[in-house]
Amino acid sequence: MSVSKPVVPSSLWRLKRLPLALLLAGSAGWTPSQAAENPAPVPKGESASGQLETVTVTARRRTESAQEVPTPMSVIGGQALESQRVYRIQDLQQLVPSVNVAYMHARQSSVSIRGLGNNPASDGLEGSVGLYIDNVYLGRPGMAVFDLMDIEQLEVLRGPQGTLFGKNTTAGVINISTRAPSFTPERSIETSVGEDGYFQTKGTISGPLNDELAGRFSAYRTRSDGDIKNEYNGHDLNGGSRQGFRGQLLYKPNEAFNLRWIGDYNEEASSAGTRVLYSTGPTINGTNLYQSRADAAGATLVNGAHRKVNLDNDQRVTVFQGGTSLEANWTLPSDFTLTSVSAYRWWNFTPRNDDGLNVPASYNAGVSVEDKQWSQEFRLASPKGGFFDYVVGAYYFGSDLDNKSFAYYGPQADIWNGTPAGALSNVSSVGNGHIRTNSFALFAQGTWHLTERLDFTAGLRGTYEEKSAWVSRNAPLGGATVTGAAATARRGRAGAYDSGDLNQYSTSPSGLLNLSYRFSDDLLGYATLSHGEKSGGVNLAVGSAPTAGADSLLIGTERANNAELGFKSTLWDRRLQLNANLFWTQVNGYQTNAYDYGNRVQYLTNAGSVRSRGVELESTLVPIRGLTLNLNGSFNDVRYLSYKDAPCPPEVSLRPGAPASCDLSGHQVVGASKWIANANGEYKWNLDNGFEPYVTASYAYRSKAVGTVEDSDYGQIPGYGLVNLSTGLRGDFQQGQWDVSLWLKNAFDKTYYTTLWTGGNGGYEGLLGTPRTLGVTGRYDF
């Protein structure tokens, strides 16, 4: 593979920071085996000649040009994330097509690609999109909800994965790589200050410990006051603090072996996930149930669009998590490469949730989680250059998760919940769930180079999983002694329950067939057929199980068939990169989140079959020296082909004689915008005194989306467009480089919602996006 090399400036800073030019094109891929040959990342993007540079990735477990990989993918360099002030996984959707992050807090979060994977709070179920950090699979999306720091590169692969990646997924993969220890000294410190009390500090130090051992240590702390006002006590909410660190060692005694150890720790104490009132729902026969019950309970509602709530109790979450991994790479005789990745992670989450009212209908409710996971992966890669090359591997993933569901009702509980007097008032209910997972897999992928231009790739994976679980709920405590209808309601909502042992055993195949043809050195075409499966899971909350039986807690397997047709091109004397693809995916047994109005609980379910089809476009253009423009977008039509036993929207379910279920066949899938467009640009120039001024601008648009699975007219997320701006100045100082920038996020102060949540009584609550925020960042690399 031929890789063009840029002219490397003399300052050390330019060896460590990558240009914004790679917002779509990304930056150089990095593996531990490269550490000695490339002691620090070199700039990629616009070369000294004003052309685009080659971008390398490891998406196929080999280092190769992104333009030579016949699959739709987006690659974002670490400097692009920093320049765009993207330091959380939930902001990623403003950069790449076909991606949505449904985020409330670390537990209620999910990532979807092409509209597939919107299933938050899946304690007993892995996600449809696989999240990896440094080749380690994260079993919970919430494990990625911390500040991204010292990132080398982020790759988004769309479509079923599994014939090369550790865990099998049906919608895609987000693969995050952090910067490895270097044998050249590196140090950096960065501080940002912004509105609403925003303050963030990040620092990194790296360098050799001896001729064979290098180390790296990175740390951060972020805090903010919050951007939502609580009318009840005047406090700010939706803020808090996050902090963490990552330590690394790289041992490289010779060119044939390297060993990389990583340990990290992150914690959060915040009021993240503060929901505002979005809609009170339908008015039926002259009565709005949400408003009338709030009035009866003595509550005063406030307009959430004004970034206000009225809560009489605390709203907060705490998260503690950490992990360690060990990756070893051996170069064997005949240039075979053997890789081993061993990892262990833990994640603890505790919430305190108010009921959304300024009266005590509920003092606290939520689900706390303690999760532990461990994994081992082995891969063997053949040498390249012959007629046939391949990667084979084995993978094991295990996890042990416990959760605790709790609800502490207040004296206004029966009025707000519509239950008979005494049923829930001053009652407390606690339940527990447990699930243990063991997953084993063998996978292989090989490429036949049929001619100099024509390649055929085939991949196969077999996965066997065992899941054992149980769910229980203690007898309710407190409250008055009740009989009749009140006692029945109490038993249904808070009565004692024990599921007994629940077991699932599944065998899930995955496969890939790909044909690619290089029409010229600058144009690659490809066609792909792929199949992905992931196992089912268990609802770890009682929900409706006491009446429907323990089997109702089980979630079936999700199966996806996918077809792709696309091209990758580099045009206009390497000044324009243009990639596009068509896709068609059908998923059977689609796993999603629904709401039980009777018991007021979220639960996971198989929502029949879903079809996702559309087109994706990505481009990078360097029209003149110093100016880089990026544009990407997608059209994605995601609908239920068949979902006949679906939950009904409140405008149906609250009417007298309402059906028990509705047919949502043909409806759009929750959280999937049809149209997504992202555009950004950077212009930088050099002054005679050695200073480098720069300006950047970006625009991100998402069309309207269904807010919750029942597709209510009162629960639709409006479309929105966001503008972010920044300007800065760089310069040299005593063998280092300083950089000061002024940035403005959401420049026109657009009020927008990222996620909706069913609020009970036909109403909906929403998560507001970041308001207009002005800030300044200073960084020094030395």
Side-chain angles (χ1 to χ4, degrees):
M1 177 183 68
S2 175
V3 178
S4 304
K5 295 292 183 183
V7 176
V8 181
S10 59
S11 72
L12 180 61
W13 174 83
R14 294 182 188 275
L15 287 172
K16 293 182 286 186
R17 287 173 64 86
L18 305 175
L20 178 63
L22 296 181
L23 180 60
L24 289 182
S27 61
W30 187 263
T31 60
S33 61
Q34 293 174 280
E37 295 83 356
N38 301 285
V42 296
K44 298 282 183 181
E46 180 191 352
S47 69
S49 63
Q51 296 176 320
L52 289 169
E53 284 293 333
T54 300
V55 178
T56 58
V57 297
T58 56
R60 295 196 293 183
R61 300 317 194 190
R62 301 176 182 276
T63 301
E64 53 191 336
S65 167
Q67 290 296 93
E68 294 179 356
V69 179
T71 189
M73 61 188 300
S74 301
V75 187
I76 310 171
Q79 172 59 17
L81 297 171
E82 294 168 6
S83 298
Q84 294 292 312
R85 301 294 306 158
V86 172
Y87 57 91
R88 304 177 304 175
I89 194 74
Q90 54 265 39
D91 296 326
L92 180 63
Q93 60 191 23
Q94 297 183 21
L95 298 183
V96 296
S98 297
V99 172
N100 181 69
V101 182
Y103 171 79
M104 187 170 79
H105 48 56
R107 178 174 175 266
Q108 299 285 3
S109 59
S110 67
V111 181
S112 65
I113 294 179
R114 295 173 175 172
L116 306 175
N118 285 296
N119 47 6
S122 51
D123 293 340
L125 184 72
E126 294 81 25
S128 300
V129 175
L131 295 173
Y132 292 81
I133 295 183
D134 293 319
N135 293 323
V136 175
Y137 172 75
L138 307 181
R140 309 259 76 77
M143 289 181 172
V145 180
F146 54 83
D147 288 19
L148 302 175
M149 62 174 174
D150 208 22
I151 300 300
E152 175 65 33
Q153 182 163 289
L154 186 150
E155 303 165 4
V156 179
L157 286 80
R158 301 184 286 273
Q161 307 293 325
T163 59
L164 282 179
F165 279 86
K167 198 73 171 66
N168 47 329
T169 56
T170 52
V173 158
I174 296 179
N175 188 34
I176 303 171
S177 302
T178 65
R179 291 170 180 143
S182 64
F183 285 91
T184 298
E186 299 179 27
R187 295 175 295 275
S188 70
I189 183 72
E190 176 181 299
T191 297
S192 300
V193 179
E195 293 181 278
D196 296 320
Y198 175 77
F199 184 84
Q200 182 186 65
T201 297
K202 298 188 292 185
T204 296
I205 183 171
S206 182
L209 302 178
N210 57 43
D211 291 342
E212 298 179 345
L213 186 67
R216 192 176 194 96
F217 183 82
S218 303
Y220 76 93
R221 177 172 170 80
T222 304
R223 69 165 305 278
S224 65
D225 294 336
D227 50 39
I228 295 175
K229 180 68 69 177
N230 187 359
E231 294 284 274
Y232 185 82
N233 53 21
H235 293 171
D236 292 325
L237 294 174
N238 215 37
S241 64
R242 298 180 300 277
Q243 56 192 4
F245 64 85
R246 181 188 301 113
Q248 301 185 59
L249 292 174
L250 175 64
Y251 175 61
K252 189 176 178 66
N254 53 59
E255 295 299 315
F257 176 74
N258 62 74
L259 184 68
R260 182 183 180 186
W261 170 83
I262 303 174
D264 68 85
Y265 173 80
N266 294 274
E267 64 181 32
E268 175 183 356
S270 74
S271 52
T274 299
R275 296 172 288 186
V276 302
L277 179 60
Y278 175 78
S279 169
T280 58
T283 297
I284 299 174
N285 296 330
T287 300
N288 181 278
L289 187 63
Y290 193 100
Q291 183 71 62
S292 64
R293 287 185 175 173
D295 291 342
T300 301
L301 305 180
V302 297
N303 191 337
H306 296 160
R307 310 193 77 88
K308 295 180 179 180
V309 294
N310 199 7
L311 312 181
D312 64 331
N313 277 302
D314 289 342
Q315 175 71 40
R316 67 173 183 263
V317 298
T318 57
V319 184
F320 301 94
Q321 65 167 313
T324 185
S325 66
L326 190 66
E327 177 176 335
N329 293 275
W330 293 268
T331 300
L332 305 177
S334 303
D335 287 332
F336 283 84
T337 301
L338 178 63
T339 299
S340 169
V341 183
S342 309
Y344 171 82
R345 298 202 64 83
W346 59 274
W347 185 76
N348 292 345
F349 171 86
T350 304
R352 182 177 178 89
N353 297 314
D354 186 77
D355 52 21
L357 306 174
N358 63 328
V359 296
S362 171
Y363 294 117
N364 184 19
V367 180
S368 60
V369 182
E370 294 183 0
D371 185 23
K372 300 179 288 292
Q373 69 166 64
W374 47 93
S375 60
Q376 174 63 52
E377 181 175 3
F378 293 105
R379 292 195 309 270
L380 178 67
S382 70
K384 294 189 67 176
F387 172 73
F388 176 64
D389 55 65
Y390 59 89
V391 175
V392 297
Y395 181 76
Y396 166 73
F397 173 84
S399 69
D400 196 278
L401 182 146
D402 291 279
N403 73 0
K404 176 183 176 182
S405 304
F406 51 89
Y408 299 98
Y409 296 102
Q412 304 299 318
D414 292 315
I415 297 174
W416 179 241
N417 287 272
T419 48
L424 298 177
S425 294
N426 298 314
V427 168
S428 63
S429 173
V430 175
N432 294 279
H434 171 81
I435 185 168
R436 183 178 180 90
T437 300
N438 286 290
S439 176
F440 308 86
L442 297 174
F443 56 90
Q445 183 166 305
T447 299
W448 289 263
H449 305 284
L450 303 178
T451 71
E452 290 185 359
R453 296 185 178 274
L454 180 64
D455 288 347
F456 174 69
T457 300
L460 185 64
R461 174 195 184 90
T463 303
Y464 173 73
E465 290 195 1
E466 300 175 344
K467 293 187 176 182
S468 58
W470 52 260
V471 180
S472 67
R473 187 168 62 194
N474 302 334
L477 298 176
T481 301
V482 292
T483 59
T488 301
R490 182 181 294 184
R491 283 194 301 271
R493 190 74 64 88
Y497 176 78
D498 188 345
S499 69
D501 292 336
L502 301 169
N503 295 285
Q504 275 193 340
Y505 307 94
S506 63
T507 301
S508 304
S510 300
L512 169 79
L513 296 175
N514 174 274
L515 196 65
S516 63
Y517 186 77
R518 183 161 294 284
F519 295 93
S520 68
D521 291 342
D522 297 323
L523 178 60
L524 173 71
Y526 61 89
T528 302
L529 295 175
S530 58
H531 174 80
E533 292 190 11
K534 74 184 193 73
S535 64
V538 181
N539 274 299
L540 294 186
V542 174
S544 59
T547 56
D551 287 347
S552 68
L553 297 171
L554 301 177
I555 310 302
T557 300
E558 181 176 276
R559 305 173 301 280
N561 295 310
N562 178 65
E564 307 268 357
L565 185 64
F567 70 87
K568 297 187 173 185
S569 64
T570 306
L571 309 170
W572 196 25
D573 192 27
R574 297 187 60 82
R575 294 178 182 270
L576 172 63
Q577 179 178 294
L578 180 63
N579 301 337
N581 64 281
L582 300 169
F583 63 90
W584 184 298
T585 305
Q586 181 168 326
V587 181
N588 296 316
Y590 181 62
Q591 298 164 342
T592 191
N593 214 27
Y595 183 76
D596 182 340
Y597 278 95
N599 292 285
R600 297 203 176 193
V601 293
Q602 300 280 344
Y603 65 96
L604 290 162
T605 183
N606 291 105
S609 60
V610 169
R611 182 207 61 210
S612 172
R613 61 182 178 183
V615 59
E616 297 161 336
L617 171 73
E618 298 181 90
S619 64
T620 301
L621 173 65
V622 182
I624 59 174
R625 181 72 59 81
L627 177 62
T628 304
L629 303 174
N630 300 286
L631 175 67
N632 70 64
S634 59
F635 169 78
N636 188 13
D637 183 25
V638 192
R639 298 183 180 275
Y640 298 108
L641 292 180
S642 176
Y643 192 10
K644 298 184 182 301
D645 192 22
C648 295
E651 55 265 40
V652 174
S653 62
L654 297 181
R655 292 186 179 277
S661 63
C662 289
D663 186 355
L664 292 183
S665 302
H667 286 236
Q668 270 190 274
V669 170
V670 58
S673 296
K674 271 192 175 183
W675 296 96
I676 295 176
N678 304 295
N680 69 84
E682 180 192 51
Y683 183 60
K684 56 186 178 182
W685 62 99
N686 294 314
L687 302 179
D688 292 339
N689 56 12
F691 291 158
E692 184 182 76
Y694 60 91
V695 293
T696 72
S698 69
Y699 177 74
Y701 170 77
R702 305 178 72 86
S703 64
K704 74 178 185 69
V706 174
T708 56
V709 68
E710 66 270 16
D711 195 12
S712 169
D713 292 338
Y714 300 89
Q716 304 291 312
I717 302 176
Y720 60 89
L722 303 177
V723 174
N724 299 323
L725 305 170
S726 71
T727 183
L729 183 67
R730 304 180 182 116
D732 295 315
F733 178 74
Q734 295 183 352
Q735 305 301 314
Q737 180 82 27
W738 55 267
D739 185 337
V740 177
S741 62
L742 181 70
W743 43 267
L744 184 63
K745 301 193 72 172
N746 191 3
F748 298 104
D749 203 20
K750 175 70 174 179
T751 299
Y752 65 102
Y753 294 85
T754 59
T755 308
L756 294 188
W757 197 256
T758 307
N761 294 322
Y764 290 92
E765 299 168 343
L767 274 295
L768 284 166
T770 304
R772 179 169 54 209
T773 307
L774 178 67
V776 62
T777 297
R779 178 173 177 126
Y780 184 49
D781 296 90
F782 56 101

